[in-house]
Amino acid sequence: MSHLLFQLSLAAYLAAAALYTVFFISQKKKLHAAARVVFCAAAGLHSLNIAARYAEAEHTPITSIHEIISFFAWSLSCCYLSFRWRYAVKNFGSFAVLPITALMLAAAAAPQAILPLPPELRTWLLPFHASISIVAYACLSLAAIGALMYLIQERQLKRKRFGFFYHRLPSLDALDSLNQHCIGIGFLLMTLGMSIGTVWAFQLGGNRGLGWHTKIISAMITWLLYAGLMHHRFVKGWRDRHAALLTVLAFAAVLLTLFFLLIKGGN
């Protein structure tokens, strides 16, 4: 059942991506409404897929490459829908749906067999640490998407070339507000996830459980980058191109951390 639901959600995401792309070019409101409905249907089917896989595996489905990527895509979808409910950011869906669809295609290419859970992962801390961390990365992904849109729009304004993108992108203030909100929530969740992970590491074997392996080092570097970004945004009042560039740079560290997480999931 979970495999069928995954295939249906993938098809719906592909349809939503196509509709959003055509809408972004044509700017026809009916296409936007259709794209939004299809995307919500895709997210709903994906939620059922996650629940079905949980029932089949009898543990939180975030322990293999397929599960991690799929859960990341699902988190990104849910975070986008929640932020869209609060912020009306013009054409944000046209940008957000593309990485979600790409992640679903990557998950579809990975082995989808349900594997036995290793002994060290049989703990109540697993769903809290892993799911909170991945949702945090989803929020930070949206911040990076908003930052890229900000840089494109800022470049249009700076060069006074009010062309294709200018009329299709939201204002710089709207993008900055979205960026600030996403980073604030993402950083809070990332801190919580790392704290739970530290408790789990000590539970596994005291100080030895912390081990300075690549995933932990990468996660710490990511946290420090976003801590610096939070400091500059909320203390020094950065609200311009520099904040957007730092957001994109920090997100590169997120991708590196996810890469090491996928390596661990594959092993």
Side-chain angles (χ1 to χ4, degrees):
M1 177 59 74
S2 65
H3 179 72
L4 175 61
L5 288 168
F6 177 83
Q7 296 300 324
L8 290 174
S9 61
L10 172 59
Y13 279 124
L14 287 169
L19 287 170
Y20 268 117
T21 301
V22 176
F23 161 72
F24 187 76
I25 297 172
S26 66
Q27 292 294 288
K28 293 182 179 180
K29 292 184 178 180
K30 289 184 178 180
L31 282 174
H32 183 249
R36 186 167 52 199
V37 169
V38 174
F39 183 86
C40 289
L45 288 168
H46 201 176
S47 299
L48 292 175
N49 161 249
I50 297 291
R53 190 160 180 105
Y54 177 86
E56 293 171 4
E58 298 183 346
H59 61 76
T60 307
I62 41 179
T63 57
S64 68
I65 292 178
H66 167 78
E67 292 173 349
I68 292 171
I69 298 176
S70 176
F71 194 88
F72 184 34
W74 176 76
S75 300
L76 195 50
S77 298
C78 293
C79 288
Y80 163 71
L81 290 174
S82 65
F83 287 137
R84 192 195 178 285
W85 174 75
R86 182 169 181 178
Y87 293 97
V89 180
K90 183 180 180 181
N91 286 331
F92 189 51
S94 299
F95 284 78
V97 72
L98 297 179
I100 294 171
T101 306
L103 286 169
M104 289 296 288
L105 289 171
Q112 299 183 31
I114 297 177
L115 303 176
L117 196 64
E120 65 271 16
L121 298 182
R122 295 172 186 170
T123 171
W124 62 272
L125 291 172
L126 169 64
F128 290 97
H129 166 64
S131 60
I132 289 174
S133 297
I134 293 176
V135 172
Y137 294 153
C139 293
L140 298 175
S141 299
L142 292 178
I145 294 170
L148 286 173
M149 294 174 70
Y150 184 101
L151 292 172
I152 294 172
Q153 186 70 309
E154 190 264 350
R155 185 181 180 86
Q156 297 271 309
L157 291 169
K158 186 176 181 180
R159 295 191 172 188
K160 296 182 179 180
R161 293 181 179 176
F162 308 131
F164 180 80
F165 283 102
Y166 174 76
H167 298 288
R168 289 168 172 79
L169 293 180
S171 67
L172 296 182
D173 287 340
L175 289 170
D176 188 77
S177 296
L178 173 73
N179 183 283
Q180 181 172 306
H181 187 71
C182 292
I183 290 176
I185 294 178
F187 181 75
L188 178 63
L189 291 175
M190 181 169 55
T191 303
L192 179 59
M194 290 182 65
S195 300
I196 296 174
T198 301
V199 173
W200 186 3
F202 275 108
Q203 187 183 75
L204 285 174
N207 289 322
R208 291 176 301 173
L210 286 172
W212 289 93
H213 54 72
T214 50
K215 178 178 175 293
I216 291 179
I217 295 174
S218 178
M220 291 182 66
I221 291 173
T222 302
W223 187 90
L224 288 171
L225 284 171
Y226 278 101
L229 179 56
M230 291 281 287
H231 173 76
H232 282 88
R233 286 193 67 91
F234 293 98
V235 177
K236 293 189 176 182
W238 272 17
R239 293 177 58 87
D240 56 10
R241 181 171 177 271
H242 297 289
L245 286 171
L246 187 54
T247 299
V248 175
L249 175 63
F251 184 67
V254 169
L255 293 178
L256 186 62
T257 303
L258 284 170
F259 173 74
F260 291 128
L261 180 63
L262 289 174
I263 291 178
K264 185 177 180 181
N267 294 329

